[in-house]
mmCIF file of all heavy atoms in Angstrom:
data_model
loop_
_atom_site.group_PDB
_atom_site.id
_atom_site.type_symbol
_atom_site.label_atom_id
_atom_site.label_comp_id
_atom_site.label_asym_id
_atom_site.label_seq_id
_atom_site.Cartn_x
_atom_site.Cartn_y
_atom_site.Cartn_z
ATOM 1 N N CYS A 302 -33.181 -5.803 -3.973
ATOM 2 C CA CYS A 302 -32.873 -7.211 -4.262
ATOM 3 C C CYS A 302 -33.947 -7.913 -5.082
ATOM 4 O O CYS A 302 -33.722 -9.030 -5.562
ATOM 5 C CB CYS A 302 -32.579 -7.978 -2.979
ATOM 6 S SG CYS A 302 -33.930 -7.986 -1.776
ATOM 7 N N GLN A 303 -35.104 -7.268 -5.275
ATOM 8 C CA GLN A 303 -36.137 -7.852 -6.128
ATOM 9 C C GLN A 303 -36.354 -7.043 -7.406
ATOM 10 O O GLN A 303 -37.316 -7.274 -8.133
ATOM 11 C CB GLN A 303 -37.455 -7.958 -5.355
ATOM 12 C CG GLN A 303 -37.379 -8.865 -4.142
ATOM 13 C CD GLN A 303 -38.729 -9.069 -3.488
ATOM 14 O OE1 GLN A 303 -39.711 -9.392 -4.164
ATOM 15 N NE2 GLN A 303 -38.777 -8.889 -2.183
ATOM 16 N N GLU A 304 -35.421 -6.134 -7.704
ATOM 17 C CA GLU A 304 -35.613 -5.236 -8.842
ATOM 18 C C GLU A 304 -35.133 -5.869 -10.150
ATOM 19 O O GLU A 304 -34.039 -6.429 -10.224
ATOM 20 C CB GLU A 304 -34.864 -3.917 -8.616
ATOM 21 C CG GLU A 304 -35.062 -2.918 -9.744
ATOM 22 C CD GLU A 304 -34.461 -1.549 -9.461
ATOM 23 O OE1 GLU A 304 -33.998 -1.322 -8.317
ATOM 24 O OE2 GLU A 304 -34.444 -0.717 -10.385
ATOM 25 N N ASP A 305 -35.934 -5.743 -11.163
ATOM 26 C CA ASP A 305 -35.554 -6.133 -12.519
ATOM 27 C C ASP A 305 -34.961 -4.902 -13.203
ATOM 28 O O ASP A 305 -35.675 -3.964 -13.536
ATOM 29 C CB ASP A 305 -36.781 -6.631 -13.277
ATOM 30 C CG ASP A 305 -36.447 -7.151 -14.675
ATOM 31 O OD1 ASP A 305 -35.338 -6.866 -15.173
ATOM 32 O OD2 ASP A 305 -37.301 -7.824 -15.271
ATOM 33 N N MET A 306 -33.646 -4.904 -13.397
ATOM 34 C CA MET A 306 -32.963 -3.740 -13.980
ATOM 35 C C MET A 306 -32.644 -3.932 -15.457
ATOM 36 O O MET A 306 -31.979 -3.101 -16.063
ATOM 37 C CB MET A 306 -31.679 -3.443 -13.197
ATOM 38 C CG MET A 306 -31.904 -2.909 -11.801
ATOM 39 S SD MET A 306 -30.350 -2.404 -10.983
ATOM 40 C CE MET A 306 -29.833 -1.012 -12.002
ATOM 41 N N ARG A 307 -33.115 -5.007 -16.047
ATOM 42 C CA ARG A 307 -32.690 -5.331 -17.400
ATOM 43 C C ARG A 307 -33.065 -4.255 -18.424
ATOM 44 O O ARG A 307 -32.237 -3.880 -19.267
ATOM 45 C CB ARG A 307 -33.260 -6.684 -17.816
ATOM 46 C CG ARG A 307 -32.635 -7.869 -17.085
ATOM 47 C CD ARG A 307 -33.338 -9.158 -17.439
ATOM 48 N NE ARG A 307 -34.735 -9.142 -16.972
ATOM 49 C CZ ARG A 307 -35.608 -10.107 -17.223
ATOM 50 N NH1 ARG A 307 -35.239 -11.167 -17.945
ATOM 51 N NH2 ARG A 307 -36.849 -10.022 -16.769
ATOM 52 N N GLU A 308 -34.273 -3.769 -18.366
ATOM 53 C CA GLU A 308 -34.689 -2.766 -19.343
ATOM 54 C C GLU A 308 -33.844 -1.506 -19.211
ATOM 55 O O GLU A 308 -33.416 -0.929 -20.217
ATOM 56 C CB GLU A 308 -36.166 -2.429 -19.163
ATOM 57 C CG GLU A 308 -36.686 -1.423 -20.177
ATOM 58 C CD GLU A 308 -38.171 -1.154 -20.036
ATOM 59 O OE1 GLU A 308 -38.850 -1.879 -19.269
ATOM 60 O OE2 GLU A 308 -38.654 -0.204 -20.689
ATOM 61 N N PHE A 309 -33.585 -1.094 -17.971
ATOM 62 C CA PHE A 309 -32.760 0.094 -17.756
ATOM 63 C C PHE A 309 -31.340 -0.115 -18.268
ATOM 64 O O PHE A 309 -30.785 0.741 -18.972
ATOM 65 C CB PHE A 309 -32.737 0.459 -16.277
ATOM 66 C CG PHE A 309 -31.772 1.560 -15.951
ATOM 67 C CD1 PHE A 309 -32.041 2.874 -16.313
ATOM 68 C CD2 PHE A 309 -30.575 1.284 -15.307
ATOM 69 C CE1 PHE A 309 -31.141 3.893 -16.038
ATOM 70 C CE2 PHE A 309 -29.675 2.290 -15.020
ATOM 71 C CZ PHE A 309 -29.956 3.606 -15.385
ATOM 72 N N ILE A 310 -30.728 -1.255 -17.932
ATOM 73 C CA ILE A 310 -29.352 -1.514 -18.371
ATOM 74 C C ILE A 310 -29.291 -1.599 -19.890
ATOM 75 O O ILE A 310 -28.347 -1.104 -20.521
ATOM 76 C CB ILE A 310 -28.804 -2.794 -17.714
ATOM 77 C CG1 ILE A 310 -28.695 -2.614 -16.192
ATOM 78 C CG2 ILE A 310 -27.449 -3.171 -18.306
ATOM 79 C CD1 ILE A 310 -27.707 -1.552 -15.742
ATOM 80 N N ARG A 311 -30.294 -2.197 -20.515
ATOM 81 C CA ARG A 311 -30.327 -2.219 -21.982
ATOM 82 C C ARG A 311 -30.340 -0.812 -22.555
ATOM 83 O O ARG A 311 -29.703 -0.538 -23.576
ATOM 84 C CB ARG A 311 -31.565 -2.978 -22.473
ATOM 85 C CG ARG A 311 -31.497 -4.486 -22.353
ATOM 86 C CD ARG A 311 -32.634 -5.147 -23.111
ATOM 87 N NE ARG A 311 -32.754 -6.562 -22.776
ATOM 88 C CZ ARG A 311 -33.646 -7.054 -21.928
ATOM 89 N NH1 ARG A 311 -34.519 -6.247 -21.349
ATOM 90 N NH2 ARG A 311 -33.677 -8.349 -21.675
ATOM 91 N N SER A 312 -31.064 0.089 -21.913
ATOM 92 C CA SER A 312 -31.142 1.467 -22.423
ATOM 93 C C SER A 312 -29.810 2.191 -22.299
ATOM 94 O O SER A 312 -29.469 3.028 -23.126
ATOM 95 C CB SER A 312 -32.233 2.240 -21.675
ATOM 96 O OG SER A 312 -31.861 2.523 -20.329
ATOM 97 N N ILE A 313 -29.024 1.846 -21.271
ATOM 98 C CA ILE A 313 -27.683 2.428 -21.096
ATOM 99 C C ILE A 313 -26.695 1.788 -22.065
ATOM 100 O O ILE A 313 -25.795 2.427 -22.584
ATOM 101 C CB ILE A 313 -27.210 2.241 -19.637
ATOM 102 C CG1 ILE A 313 -28.106 3.019 -18.677
ATOM 103 C CG2 ILE A 313 -25.745 2.646 -19.480
ATOM 104 C CD1 ILE A 313 -27.928 4.498 -18.689
ATOM 105 N N ASN A 314 -26.859 0.462 -22.255
ATOM 106 C CA ASN A 314 -26.029 -0.318 -23.178
ATOM 107 C C ASN A 314 -24.537 -0.238 -22.851
ATOM 108 O O ASN A 314 -23.708 0.125 -23.694
ATOM 109 C CB ASN A 314 -26.269 0.139 -24.628
ATOM 110 C CG ASN A 314 -25.743 -0.868 -25.643
ATOM 111 O OD1 ASN A 314 -25.591 -2.050 -25.341
ATOM 112 N ND2 ASN A 314 -25.463 -0.394 -26.841
ATOM 113 N N PRO A 315 -24.148 -0.610 -21.609
ATOM 114 C CA PRO A 315 -22.729 -0.540 -21.240
ATOM 115 C C PRO A 315 -21.927 -1.696 -21.826
ATOM 116 O O PRO A 315 -22.481 -2.699 -22.286
ATOM 117 C CB PRO A 315 -22.773 -0.638 -19.713
ATOM 118 C CG PRO A 315 -23.963 -1.517 -19.458
ATOM 119 C CD PRO A 315 -24.974 -1.134 -20.517
ATOM 120 N N ASP A 316 -20.614 -1.559 -21.768
ATOM 121 C CA ASP A 316 -19.729 -2.649 -22.170
ATOM 122 C C ASP A 316 -19.649 -3.722 -21.087
ATOM 123 O O ASP A 316 -19.316 -4.880 -21.383
ATOM 124 C CB ASP A 316 -18.328 -2.104 -22.444
ATOM 125 C CG ASP A 316 -18.299 -1.145 -23.612
ATOM 126 O OD1 ASP A 316 -18.173 -1.607 -24.751
ATOM 127 O OD2 ASP A 316 -18.447 0.079 -23.387
ATOM 128 N N ARG A 317 -19.931 -3.337 -19.845
ATOM 129 C CA ARG A 317 -19.780 -4.261 -18.726
ATOM 130 C C ARG A 317 -20.745 -3.842 -17.617
ATOM 131 O O ARG A 317 -20.932 -2.654 -17.365
ATOM 132 C CB ARG A 317 -18.326 -4.234 -18.229
ATOM 133 C CG ARG A 317 -17.940 -5.283 -17.185
ATOM 134 C CD ARG A 317 -16.420 -5.327 -17.078
ATOM 135 N NE ARG A 317 -15.927 -6.083 -15.936
ATOM 136 C CZ ARG A 317 -15.772 -7.409 -15.911
ATOM 137 N NH1 ARG A 317 -16.084 -8.123 -16.972
ATOM 138 N NH2 ARG A 317 -15.295 -8.023 -14.837
ATOM 139 N N TRP A 318 -21.354 -4.831 -16.967
ATOM 140 C CA TRP A 318 -22.218 -4.574 -15.806
ATOM 141 C C TRP A 318 -21.759 -5.482 -14.677
ATOM 142 O O TRP A 318 -21.814 -6.693 -14.778
ATOM 143 C CB TRP A 318 -23.686 -4.846 -16.147
ATOM 144 C CG TRP A 318 -24.650 -4.510 -15.036
ATOM 145 C CD1 TRP A 318 -24.471 -3.584 -14.046
ATOM 146 C CD2 TRP A 318 -25.935 -5.104 -14.793
ATOM 147 N NE1 TRP A 318 -25.572 -3.545 -13.223
ATOM 148 C CE2 TRP A 318 -26.489 -4.469 -13.658
ATOM 149 C CE3 TRP A 318 -26.679 -6.097 -15.456
ATOM 150 C CZ2 TRP A 318 -27.738 -4.801 -13.150
ATOM 151 C CZ3 TRP A 318 -27.927 -6.432 -14.946
ATOM 152 C CH2 TRP A 318 -28.445 -5.783 -13.811
ATOM 153 N N LYS A 319 -21.272 -4.849 -13.590
ATOM 154 C CA LYS A 319 -20.825 -5.592 -12.419
ATOM 155 C C LYS A 319 -21.835 -5.393 -11.305
ATOM 156 O O LYS A 319 -22.195 -4.260 -10.969
ATOM 157 C CB LYS A 319 -19.443 -5.127 -11.956
ATOM 158 C CG LYS A 319 -18.323 -5.547 -12.881
ATOM 159 C CD LYS A 319 -16.958 -5.363 -12.232
ATOM 160 C CE LYS A 319 -16.710 -6.395 -11.166
ATOM 161 N NZ LYS A 319 -15.335 -6.316 -10.623
ATOM 162 N N VAL A 320 -22.262 -6.490 -10.719
ATOM 163 C CA VAL A 320 -23.293 -6.477 -9.694
ATOM 164 C C VAL A 320 -22.716 -7.065 -8.406
ATOM 165 O O VAL A 320 -22.221 -8.198 -8.399
ATOM 166 C CB VAL A 320 -24.517 -7.291 -10.143
ATOM 167 C CG1 VAL A 320 -25.601 -7.243 -9.074
ATOM 168 C CG2 VAL A 320 -25.054 -6.768 -11.475
ATOM 169 N N PHE A 321 -22.770 -6.283 -7.326
ATOM 170 C CA PHE A 321 -22.155 -6.666 -6.064
ATOM 171 C C PHE A 321 -23.212 -6.889 -4.987
ATOM 172 O O PHE A 321 -24.160 -6.108 -4.868
ATOM 173 C CB PHE A 321 -21.212 -5.568 -5.556
ATOM 174 C CG PHE A 321 -20.178 -5.124 -6.550
ATOM 175 C CD1 PHE A 321 -20.379 -3.990 -7.321
ATOM 176 C CD2 PHE A 321 -18.995 -5.817 -6.698
ATOM 177 C CE1 PHE A 321 -19.430 -3.560 -8.231
ATOM 178 C CE2 PHE A 321 -18.037 -5.407 -7.607
ATOM 179 C CZ PHE A 321 -18.247 -4.275 -8.374
ATOM 180 N N GLN A 322 -23.020 -7.906 -4.193
ATOM 181 C CA GLN A 322 -23.822 -8.065 -2.989
ATOM 182 C C GLN A 322 -23.371 -7.032 -1.962
ATOM 183 O O GLN A 322 -22.179 -6.719 -1.861
ATOM 184 C CB GLN A 322 -23.639 -9.476 -2.424
ATOM 185 C CG GLN A 322 -24.479 -9.783 -1.185
ATOM 186 C CD GLN A 322 -24.257 -11.214 -0.702
ATOM 187 O OE1 GLN A 322 -23.451 -11.966 -1.254
ATOM 188 N NE2 GLN A 322 -24.977 -11.597 0.345
ATOM 189 N N PHE A 323 -24.314 -6.479 -1.193
ATOM 190 C CA PHE A 323 -23.947 -5.593 -0.088
ATOM 191 C C PHE A 323 -22.853 -6.262 0.735
ATOM 192 O O PHE A 323 -22.986 -7.408 1.160
ATOM 193 C CB PHE A 323 -25.172 -5.323 0.790
ATOM 194 C CG PHE A 323 -24.858 -4.600 2.080
ATOM 195 C CD1 PHE A 323 -24.954 -3.226 2.153
ATOM 196 C CD2 PHE A 323 -24.467 -5.304 3.213
ATOM 197 C CE1 PHE A 323 -24.667 -2.558 3.340
ATOM 198 C CE2 PHE A 323 -24.169 -4.654 4.401
ATOM 199 C CZ PHE A 323 -24.275 -3.272 4.470
ATOM 200 N N LEU A 324 -21.761 -5.533 0.953
ATOM 201 C CA LEU A 324 -20.618 -6.069 1.695
ATOM 202 C C LEU A 324 -20.473 -5.329 3.010
ATOM 203 O O LEU A 324 -20.287 -4.104 3.034
ATOM 204 C CB LEU A 324 -19.327 -5.920 0.873
ATOM 205 C CG LEU A 324 -18.029 -6.346 1.571
ATOM 206 C CD1 LEU A 324 -18.042 -7.842 1.881
ATOM 207 C CD2 LEU A 324 -16.818 -5.994 0.714
ATOM 208 N N HIS A 325 -20.564 -6.068 4.093
ATOM 209 C CA HIS A 325 -20.348 -5.476 5.408
ATOM 210 C C HIS A 325 -18.867 -5.548 5.754
ATOM 211 O O HIS A 325 -18.288 -6.630 5.821
ATOM 212 C CB HIS A 325 -21.157 -6.220 6.474
ATOM 213 C CG HIS A 325 -20.900 -5.721 7.865
ATOM 214 N ND1 HIS A 325 -20.944 -6.535 8.973
ATOM 215 C CD2 HIS A 325 -20.568 -4.478 8.324
ATOM 216 C CE1 HIS A 325 -20.670 -5.832 10.050
ATOM 217 N NE2 HIS A 325 -20.428 -4.586 9.685
ATOM 218 N N VAL A 326 -18.256 -4.379 5.933
ATOM 219 C CA VAL A 326 -16.877 -4.309 6.409
ATOM 220 C C VAL A 326 -16.925 -3.684 7.794
ATOM 221 O O VAL A 326 -17.230 -2.494 7.935
ATOM 222 C CB VAL A 326 -15.984 -3.476 5.468
ATOM 223 C CG1 VAL A 326 -14.576 -3.351 6.047
ATOM 224 C CG2 VAL A 326 -15.925 -4.118 4.090
ATOM 225 N N PRO A 327 -16.674 -4.466 8.847
ATOM 226 C CA PRO A 327 -16.764 -3.938 10.209
ATOM 227 C C PRO A 327 -15.921 -2.676 10.380
ATOM 228 O O PRO A 327 -14.786 -2.597 9.920
ATOM 229 C CB PRO A 327 -16.220 -5.091 11.071
ATOM 230 C CG PRO A 327 -16.550 -6.314 10.274
ATOM 231 C CD PRO A 327 -16.356 -5.904 8.837
ATOM 232 N N GLY A 328 -16.531 -1.687 11.025
ATOM 233 C CA GLY A 328 -15.860 -0.417 11.234
ATOM 234 C C GLY A 328 -16.095 0.582 10.128
ATOM 235 O O GLY A 328 -15.730 1.750 10.258
ATOM 236 N N GLN A 329 -16.710 0.135 9.028
ATOM 237 C CA GLN A 329 -16.929 1.013 7.884
ATOM 238 C C GLN A 329 -18.414 1.332 7.672
ATOM 239 O O GLN A 329 -18.782 2.485 7.525
ATOM 240 C CB GLN A 329 -16.366 0.378 6.611
ATOM 241 C CG GLN A 329 -14.853 0.265 6.592
ATOM 242 C CD GLN A 329 -14.170 1.591 6.312
ATOM 243 O OE1 GLN A 329 -14.549 2.321 5.409
ATOM 244 N NE2 GLN A 329 -13.171 1.917 7.098
#
Side-chain angles (χ1 to χ4, degrees):
C302 59
Q303 298 186 50
E304 182 173 353
D305 184 345
M306 290 186 66
R307 290 174 295 175
E308 182 177 350
F309 173 73
I310 295 296
R311 285 191 192 100
S312 71
I313 296 287
N314 196 23
D316 296 274
R317 188 166 168 83
W318 184 27
K319 288 194 73 174
V320 181
F321 307 97
Q322 182 179 2
F323 171 94
L324 176 64
H325 176 212
V326 176
Q329 292 284 314

